[in-house]
Amino acid sequence: MPEIALEEVEWPQFGMPVEIPKIGRAEYESRISETLERMAAVGLTHLLVYGDREHFANLCYLTGYDPRFEEALLILSLEDAPMLLVGNEGSGYVGISPLDLDVRLYQPFSLLGQPRSASPPLRRLLGSRGIGPTSRVGVAGWKYFTAQESEEPALWLETPAYLADTLRELTGARERVINATGIFMNPLDGLRLFNSVDQVAFLEYAATRTSEGVKRVLWNLSPGQREYELARHYHCDGLPLCCHTMLSAGSRARMGLASPGDRRIKLGEPMTTALGLNGSLTARAGFVARDENDLDHEQRGYLRNFAGTYFGVVAQWYRTLALEVAAGLMYEAVMAMVPKQTWEPALNPGHYIHLDEWVSTPFYDGSSITLKSGMALQVDIIPVSKGPYWLANTEDGVVLADETLRSEIRRRFPEMWQRFQARRSFMQRVLGLDLAPEILPLSNTPALFPPFLLSPEKVLVVKR
């Protein structure tokens, strides 16, 4: 374990992009073409991409359309143009997509009580795209399954039963309708793992917003505030969320996922905070304290035995992250640093991030997946205490970029490139973290971890 120290640090101002980066029509068309190639490679005649408000990322990746109140369904065929089925309110929102989609109204996607008389049955809409007894149909929602979960994982669908039932009636065989979500999300070569320069710019835009929001929360924290009063400092610009807002203190902080309530925050108790916008999540957790003197007696030693060891593991994550590294070896290197008698990670030590907060993860025991250029990854080591101590957390995202992608970023987005370089310099020079040249930090709070939240200027660093 490296030597970890608490030092006073001036939080840098890295700047923020003003314009929201856009994904152009040509890239969406390219994404659909790549998807059609994957379909053909695995013997699919059709692919249905289902989405709703929470599970929007695969559909939005292909079209730029993210369902709002309703559900939606994109039908891809090797023979016909893409068809998008939307509900009543979604039909007015389809202009958000730059594509010329064949849009059809399917009113059962609408909210309860709304008109249902103006759209044909689902069977007829699917049949109009040639789905029948000779078809082999893939369905992509937001999750796929493995042999650990089912004896027939390919036949498990997480989309609505009415869709699965209708497809299997049309094809005449259960095995002709399979789960194809892995085309987009499997941790080896899912299409959404590899980000273009424009997608990187969008992720960085989102990360500046989430990290600056969490920073404002930390710097405006004071005992006596209600949780929702503190959460007002997120100022997330009205951008769509990829997950609910999290902020809780006291015993509720152990839940991790709780949204802000009306409870008043007290001195000496733990607190966790996280903000996730489409494309990014930033999270922090520590104690509402100036130093260990504000903690209960049983929490004395938190800095040395819990927060310090946690940050040492985070430092190891950054130290071992690099292109072509096997994710399983990185998992082993990180887990070897965990003081298992004190705490262990709740989940995997990191994952892919995209429009959704968790796409999938290559970081598991025995993983042979090698990390590639264009992958966006989030350090997400959540320590679960085995003793008296409470919690610690610092979550930020990075992109891995080879020289080709780095050159394109320098040329296309010079201001973003300067922010990347300033963040790298700060992490190395001030925080003492080792970074491979391909690591581009997305966050404006890159690895900044103040364990005592009332002293945010005092953060953990690696002593060289």
Side-chain angles (χ1 to χ4, degrees):
M1 178 70 70
E3 182 184 354
I4 306 297
L6 186 66
E7 292 189 358
E8 187 166 327
V9 167
E10 182 177 352
W11 289 42
Q13 300 296 322
F14 296 110
M16 298 172 68
V18 176
E19 296 184 355
I20 302 176
K22 305 294 192 301
I23 307 299
R25 173 175 176 157
E27 181 159 340
Y28 285 116
E29 290 175 340
S30 176
R31 293 174 179 182
I32 289 178
S33 294
E34 288 180 322
T35 302
L36 293 171
E37 291 174 6
R38 291 284 182 97
M39 289 168 53
V42 296
L44 296 178
T45 60
H46 299 79
L47 177 66
L48 278 60
V49 184
Y50 173 88
D52 58 26
R53 179 59 253 159
E54 184 174 2
H55 309 109
F56 66 93
N58 290 328
L59 180 60
C60 191
Y61 166 80
L62 290 174
T63 66
Y65 178 87
D66 58 321
R68 293 296 165 121
F69 296 106
E70 304 169 331
E71 304 153 79
L73 185 70
L74 179 69
I75 305 173
L76 297 180
S77 165
L78 297 180
E79 304 296 332
D80 300 298
M83 175 187 284
L84 181 66
L85 306 186
V86 298
N88 291 323
E89 293 178 271
S91 61
Y93 183 59
V94 292
I96 200 72
S97 172
L99 297 175
D100 293 327
L101 297 166
D102 182 3
V103 179
R104 303 293 181 90
L105 179 65
Y106 182 61
Q107 290 176 306
F109 283 165
S110 307
L111 301 182
L112 292 175
Q114 292 185 7
R116 293 289 196 273
S117 60
S119 59
L122 181 60
R123 172 184 287 270
R124 189 187 308 169
L125 287 166
L126 297 177
S128 72
R129 277 300 185 266
I131 297 178
T134 63
S135 303
R136 189 165 185 265
V137 182
V139 180
W142 62 94
K143 189 184 296 185
Y144 59 89
F145 304 93
T146 69
Q148 289 182 302
E149 299 153 305
S150 169
E151 294 180 356
E152 298 178 302
L155 301 185
W156 274 30
L157 304 181
E158 80 286 23
T159 48
Y162 64 80
L163 177 59
D165 291 345
T166 303
L167 287 170
R168 284 174 169 149
E169 289 171 7
L170 286 169
T171 60
R174 184 166 172 259
E175 62 273 11
R176 286 188 170 274
V177 181
I178 64 170
N179 191 314
T181 306
I183 288 176
F184 305 105
M185 299 177 69
N186 87 76
L188 176 63
D189 63 356
L191 291 176
R192 287 205 291 120
L193 308 185
F194 303 96
N195 294 283
S196 68
V197 64
D198 290 301
Q199 190 68 56
V200 169
F202 181 86
L203 298 179
E204 196 258 356
Y205 177 91
T208 62
R209 266 61 191 170
T210 60
S211 54
E212 290 288 343
V214 170
K215 182 198 298 184
R216 280 189 296 271
V217 164
L218 297 180
W219 283 86
N220 285 280
L221 169 65
S222 62
Q225 289 171 299
R226 296 187 188 275
E227 291 171 354
Y228 65 71
E229 292 172 336
L230 180 58
R232 291 171 185 164
H233 293 284
Y234 280 133
H235 297 174
C236 53
D237 298 345
L239 297 169
L241 302 174
C242 69
C243 60
H244 54 272
T245 301
M246 291 162 268
L247 193 156
S248 57
S251 60
R252 292 203 323 137
R254 277 194 184 273
M255 302 178 190
L257 303 183
S259 296
D262 61 0
R263 183 182 176 279
R264 293 192 183 275
I265 299 168
K266 298 177 182 178
L267 181 68
E269 64 184 13
M271 191 188 89
T272 184
T273 176
L275 176 64
L277 303 176
N278 287 2
S280 175
L281 179 133
T282 302
R284 292 295 185 273
F287 272 92
V288 183
R290 295 175 293 267
D291 52 40
E292 286 205 346
N293 293 322
D294 289 332
L295 305 184
D296 292 339
H297 180 74
E298 67 173 6
Q299 295 296 324
R300 303 293 170 86
Y302 163 77
L303 178 62
R304 179 183 67 256
N305 298 323
F306 196 82
T309 60
Y310 166 76
F311 192 73
V313 175
V314 170
Q316 179 76 343
W317 192 91
Y318 283 107
R319 183 182 302 114
T320 53
L321 181 65
L323 287 172
E324 302 304 326
V325 166
L329 293 179
M330 186 170 165
Y331 174 89
E332 291 176 9
V334 169
M335 293 300 292
M337 297 285 289
V338 173
K340 298 179 178 61
Q341 71 282 3
T342 305
W343 62 269
E344 288 194 78
L347 302 170
N348 312 69
H351 55 84
Y352 299 113
I353 189 168
H354 196 258
L355 296 174
D356 39 357
E357 195 269 338
W358 183 300
V359 183
S360 58
T361 179
F363 301 117
Y364 54 86
D365 191 17
S367 171
S368 60
I369 296 168
T370 56
L371 303 179
K372 303 294 185 181
S373 180
M375 289 180 169
L377 300 159
Q378 182 171 302
V379 58
D380 192 3
I381 301 166
I382 303 172
V384 177
S385 175
K386 294 183 176 181
Y389 307 112
W390 277 71
L391 74 174
N393 197 15
T394 175
E395 294 184 39
D396 298 290
V398 302
V399 167
L400 293 179
D402 61 13
E403 181 53 43
T404 299
L405 182 53
R406 296 200 298 271
S407 295
E408 192 173 5
I409 291 171
R410 280 194 297 266
R411 179 178 62 85
R412 294 270 317 279
F413 296 94
E415 292 182 358
M416 179 172 68
W417 176 254
Q418 292 301 317
R419 289 192 294 272
F420 281 144
Q421 295 311 299
R423 293 174 191 136
R424 284 178 50 84
S425 176
F426 173 80
M427 294 173 74
Q428 293 172 307
R429 178 178 48 84
V430 179
L431 301 184
L433 299 174
D434 296 320
L435 299 178
E438 54 264 33
I439 298 175
L440 303 181
L442 295 164
S443 168
N444 273 1
T445 56
L448 279 160
F449 175 43
F452 304 114
L453 303 179
L454 295 180
S455 298
E457 72 284 357
K458 294 179 181 179
V459 303
L460 293 178
V461 304
V462 177
K463 298 295 291 184
R464 293 188 180 275

